[in-house]
Amino acid sequence: MRVWADLETLGDAIREKRYFIDAQAVANETMKRVRHNAEVVVARLQSLGYQFESNDDSFGDMLEGMQQGMEQTGRYAEFLRQNPSPTNLNFPEFQAVLEPLRRQNEALEAERLAAREMLSALQEQIRERGSEPAKRPAIEAPSSTVADEIAEIEEWAGGPLPLSVRAWCEIVGSVSLVGIHPALSFQAERQTPMLFINPDFHRDAAGEAAKLRASGVKATTVLETTPQPPLADPLEITCSLDQQEPYDMDEDEGFGRRLILGRDDELKAGISGLHELYGIKVPSSDADARFEDWHKTSFVNYLRIAFQWGGFPGWERYSERPEKEIAYLREGLLPF
């Protein structure tokens, strides 16, 4: 820990020849220990019957969400066609909204048909693959072309990666402990898309919602808050440009980009909405960089915290937590 503190005080001077070789060796040794710890934790999770997220889990969720969204959109478009002047839009302030909405329906229908074709093609791909889910490895080793991939990231960033993150990409690769376990990690209950009829803007919101429901559109006049499960925030770090857009640009603080390294705690738990994905600002010539999650600490220190909690640092925020399982997961892990 002291070694990394000393390296961080050097700033971009770490790139000078007198420091660089030793600093790189420290980063590499650190990530070898991180890789070892990740392998131990994954093996122990498997012994606990942990259900790791699979490719088909996320793919299936996407398909189901598309299907539900298209069904609701189609029913709502049909409702508007059959009800060209809904009573709740007879107020003068809504008349300007109604006509553009009608025009949009034609384009919406074309988009819906195209999306349905894409959905059918994706479902056919799944059928051809068979019913056996394609599990995503919890740990994916760096590819044989990792040097080229890092070069591509640095070209995109406009400069170098910090030594810590570069060593992660070269030695660890990708790690995802996202999954489900009755004590350690949970997923939010999946919600059906609902059309909200705001009583503040509709004279007969309840009646309008009832008409929509009668036509097959799921509608409500009450915004309900879905109970949120504990956010265990499983360790998840990737090294890829695949997920950067549209979240990469750091528009608020000037020059630079934000390299996304993983989902935030809510996305890992299947909670939809606006999210601040975890990442670092790049380029950076330093030894380490601030990892932008809710800890607001350095990348290496974030990894320390994650393993202190057995790979589930979100439990730090809760007074009631699975102490026995966490202790088992972190026992004997290598310090770094």
Side-chain angles (χ1 to χ4, degrees):
M1 186 177 297
R2 177 60 186 272
V3 174
W4 274 101
D6 291 342
L7 293 179
E8 289 177 44
T9 61
L10 291 172
D12 60 6
I14 201 73
R15 302 280 169 170
E16 295 177 9
K17 186 176 180 180
R18 53 179 171 160
Y19 300 125
F20 184 73
I21 294 177
D22 289 341
Q24 192 174 47
V26 169
N28 290 346
E29 178 59 29
T30 296
M31 293 307 158
K32 288 177 183 177
R33 290 173 173 243
V34 167
R35 173 67 186 246
H36 167 84
N37 288 351
E39 290 171 346
V40 170
V41 168
V42 167
R44 290 175 178 173
L45 285 172
Q46 290 171 337
S47 73
L48 292 174
Y50 190 85
Q51 183 181 339
F52 288 95
E53 180 184 59
S54 72
N55 289 328
D56 281 2
D57 290 335
S58 54
F59 197 51
D61 288 346
M62 180 190 72
L63 290 178
E64 184 171 340
M66 286 175 61
Q67 183 72 53
Q68 290 181 351
M70 284 190 297
E71 289 174 356
Q72 291 297 297
T73 299
R75 289 170 183 165
Y76 186 46
E78 181 62 27
F79 175 84
L80 291 175
R81 280 193 292 270
Q82 295 180 6
N83 299 270
S85 298
T87 57
N88 65 315
L89 291 178
N90 282 336
F91 304 110
E93 59 266 32
F94 287 109
Q95 293 303 314
V97 177
L98 185 57
E99 186 57 33
L101 185 58
R102 289 173 181 155
R103 291 196 301 267
Q104 289 172 9
N105 282 339
E106 296 179 4
L108 182 63
E109 181 65 17
E111 291 177 3
R112 189 170 69 89
L113 291 174
R116 188 174 295 280
E117 290 178 2
M118 182 178 70
L119 177 61
S120 297
L122 292 173
Q123 290 172 327
E124 181 61 29
Q125 289 179 25
I126 290 179
R127 284 192 291 270
E128 290 176 355
R129 273 192 350 217
S131 59
E132 184 67 23
K135 287 294 183 182
R136 173 188 300 146
I139 302 175
E140 294 187 73
S143 72
S144 59
T145 60
V146 65
D148 293 335
E149 293 167 6
I150 292 173
E152 183 182 3
I153 293 174
E154 292 184 330
E155 181 180 0
W156 167 84
L161 295 178
L163 296 185
S164 58
V165 175
R166 183 185 181 95
W168 170 283
C169 296
E170 292 175 332
I171 295 170
V172 183
S174 295
V175 173
S176 178
L177 304 185
V178 178
I180 302 174
H181 184 270
L184 282 164
S185 185
F186 310 93
Q187 289 285 306
E189 184 178 340
R190 192 174 301 157
Q191 298 296 304
T192 302
M194 298 282 283
L195 179 63
F196 175 58
I197 309 299
N198 192 334
D200 294 335
F201 296 102
H202 294 265
R203 286 178 178 171
D204 184 17
E208 184 67 18
K211 286 197 299 181
L212 285 164
R213 287 194 292 269
S215 68
V217 178
K218 293 181 172 63
T220 181
T221 60
V222 180
L223 284 179
E224 299 179 353
T225 302
T226 305
Q228 182 171 278
L231 301 177
D233 201 7
L235 174 64
E236 179 186 62
I237 302 291
T238 62
C239 185
S240 171
L241 276 179
D242 292 344
Q243 59 180 335
Q244 300 312 312
E245 298 291 350
Y247 306 100
D248 58 320
M249 295 305 294
D250 185 2
E251 298 175 355
D252 295 331
E253 299 188 24
F255 176 77
R257 288 190 159 186
R258 192 165 179 266
L259 180 67
I260 303 304
L261 297 175
R263 291 169 285 181
D264 68 5
D265 50 1
E266 291 189 343
L267 269 177
K268 293 171 187 174
I271 298 173
S272 60
L274 297 176
H275 297 277
E276 289 291 333
L277 304 183
Y278 296 164
I280 63 168
K281 288 185 174 65
V282 289
S284 173
S285 298
D286 295 351
D288 204 3
R290 190 172 84 156
F291 185 67
E292 296 178 335
D293 78 327
W294 49 276
H295 290 96
K296 305 301 182 186
T297 188
S298 69
F299 179 63
V300 170
N301 197 47
Y302 164 76
L303 295 174
R304 290 193 193 104
I305 294 170
F307 286 115
Q308 285 169 7
W309 292 94
F312 298 87
W315 284 112
E316 177 184 352
R317 299 173 289 192
Y318 300 93
S319 57
E320 295 185 10
R321 50 197 178 222
E323 301 283 5
K324 180 180 177 181
E325 289 83 358
I326 292 172
Y328 168 62
L329 292 172
R330 71 184 175 203
E331 182 182 1
L333 297 182
L334 297 178
F336 54 88

